[in-house]
Amino acid sequence: MQIDIKQPILGKNDELAKKNRDLFAQHNVFVLDLLASPGSGKTSTILATIDALRDEFNIAVIEGDIASSVDAEKIKAQGIAAVQINTGGACHLESDMIRRAVDVLDLERLDLIIVENVGNLVCPTDFDLGENMKVMILSVPEGDDKPLKYPGVFQASEAVILNKVDTMPVFDFDRDAFYASVNQLNPNAPIFPIAATKGEGVAEWAEWLAEQIRAIQ
């Protein structure tokens, strides 16, 4: 006899995610779920995105980490509301965690919530949070072979950010091979090459995101 525990877990999560999605839609809040591995530059990308969009949109951030509140403090230092979720070991965020975090935010005043998911290229793809879209961040030092090794996260994402492109001369990164792999897995996903800490390419990514936010308002 085989017992599948995954489906009941995902089923409950999906029910709560639908309630989250309905809540966000009622308030016209766009929710972005950022997926990436540790060290890819999630927080620096979030900070650069905030800097590009804060004049037009009211933004809050939900930070997911196994432990600590380091990233949330960086966001708060920029005058942006941030809620820290510590999973205590879980490798992903779930819809009930998002709902509890959202309860301390003023949705009436928000246009965009950015969720920084736990650094992981596998299990976060399975969990719907009620978000409008998932976006994948990969950094050049991680290597151009990641779409081949972790296809699920690229297939689940509506856009791909290639971060730290300023380091490309230092690393053996085949940009053409990377683009071809992503396009094969997800031909509709645009790819945005950026260097978040330097601001390079951020304007193009931010404008694309702004178009998605405007579409629901």
Side-chain angles (χ1 to χ4, degrees):
M1 179 179 180
Q2 183 176 0
I3 299 175
D4 185 354
I5 65 171
K6 182 178 181 181
Q7 290 308 316
I9 292 173
L10 291 179
K12 180 180 179 181
N13 181 82
D14 289 347
E15 289 179 12
L16 293 172
K18 183 181 183 304
K19 293 180 180 179
N20 287 349
R21 184 168 285 110
D22 291 343
L23 178 65
F24 299 142
Q26 290 170 15
H27 293 85
N28 295 321
V29 177
F30 190 95
V31 180
L32 171 66
D33 182 15
L34 280 180
L35 310 178
S37 55
S40 62
K42 293 190 298 298
T43 304
S44 60
T45 298
I46 290 172
L47 290 170
T49 302
I50 289 171
D51 190 51
L53 296 180
R54 65 189 306 162
D55 289 343
E56 181 176 358
F57 303 110
N58 292 318
I59 306 169
V61 176
I62 297 175
E63 287 283 349
D65 288 295
I66 291 175
S68 89
S69 60
V70 173
D71 292 339
E73 295 304 322
K74 292 179 181 177
I75 302 298
K76 290 178 181 178
Q78 301 304 312
I80 299 295
V83 181
Q84 180 70 53
I85 299 176
N86 290 136
T87 65
C91 60
H92 59 273
L93 295 178
E94 298 180 12
S95 56
D96 65 323
M97 300 177 187
I98 297 301
R99 183 52 182 265
R100 281 179 280 164
V102 166
D103 282 344
V104 304
L105 295 173
D106 185 358
L107 294 182
E108 292 287 348
R109 301 184 61 183
L110 292 177
D111 303 301
L112 169 65
I113 297 175
I114 302 175
V115 178
E116 180 176 340
N117 216 310
V118 179
N120 190 326
L121 295 182
V122 183
C123 54
T125 61
D126 289 333
F127 287 84
D128 184 2
L129 306 179
E131 75 279 355
N132 292 84
M133 68 169 58
K134 296 183 186 295
V135 169
M136 160 71 181
I137 303 174
L138 181 83
S139 64
V140 166
E142 294 173 79
D144 55 68
D145 60 352
K146 290 302 177 289
L148 303 176
K149 293 182 176 180
Y150 303 96
V153 69
F154 290 91
Q155 291 169 327
S157 299
E158 295 193 37
V160 175
I161 296 172
L162 179 61
N163 194 20
K164 304 183 184 181
V165 292
D166 54 318
T167 69
M168 203 170 289
V170 179
F171 295 93
D172 185 18
F173 188 96
D174 189 331
R175 182 168 177 161
D176 291 339
F178 173 76
Y179 273 60
S181 297
V182 173
N183 289 332
Q184 184 175 8
L185 290 168
N186 194 343
N188 295 319
I191 302 173
F192 296 97
I194 74 169
T197 58
K198 296 182 177 180
E200 297 175 9
V202 173
E204 291 78 8
W205 146 250
E207 179 54 33
W208 181 85
L209 177 58
E211 290 174 3
Q212 316 311 307
I213 301 169
R214 296 180 195 123
I216 71 164
Q217 294 182 331

